[in-house]
Amino acid sequence: AMLRGVQVYAATDKRRRGFPCLTHIDLTLHDGRLHCMAVYRHQYLVEKAYGNMLGLSALVQFLCQQSGYEPGELVVHATMADAQRGDFPGVARLAADARAALDAAAADDLGDES
């Protein structure tokens, strides 16, 4: 339902990936820097995450320009992150390579202990 241009979601909404994905932004001033923390309900890591980070960094840059504060840290939390391995074969290869590197490092660590 629409209420004066604002989308209102029913408490019975059971959609797993419905909008809005960005649910919270926290802006904190600390030692003259403006820090930003954002929470996303769902994040497509290949298709959306980079653009979302660019948008948030542009927001922080604008706020800093207007307020005179220096930019601080930008932290993003995704309560559900989709690596899209099935949609992008390169991601699956990257994940497999990373897993193999971790396994090799663990095997090396075990060899050092004996």
Side-chain angles (χ1 to χ4, degrees):
M2 293 293 283
L3 178 65
R4 297 182 186 206
V6 176
Q7 181 72 38
V8 178
Y9 294 90
T12 58
D13 185 0
K14 301 292 185 199
R15 292 178 295 174
R16 290 184 60 211
R17 296 184 185 182
F19 285 97
C21 293
L22 177 63
T23 57
H24 179 80
I25 293 178
D26 178 76
L27 300 171
T28 303
L29 289 173
H30 182 69
D31 291 335
R33 293 188 175 276
L34 180 65
H35 303 278
C36 177
M37 189 276 301
V39 177
Y40 286 83
R41 298 178 16 167
H42 182 259
Q43 181 94 279
Y44 287 105
L45 295 179
V46 175
E47 292 178 352
K48 301 287 184 182
Y50 181 67
N52 290 340
M53 292 289 282
L54 288 177
L56 289 168
S57 64
L59 172 65
V60 170
Q61 180 182 8
F62 172 78
L63 293 172
C64 288
Q65 179 187 34
Q66 296 300 309
S67 65
Y69 291 104
E70 291 294 317
E73 295 178 358
L74 174 59
V75 176
V76 175
H77 295 280
T79 60
M80 179 180 163
D82 186 340
Q84 300 181 276
R85 290 181 297 217
D87 299 335
F88 296 91
V91 174
R93 279 193 308 275
L94 181 63
D97 290 347
R99 191 171 292 111
L102 286 172
D103 291 344
D108 285 347
D109 287 345
L110 288 176
D112 290 342
E113 292 177 4
S114 46

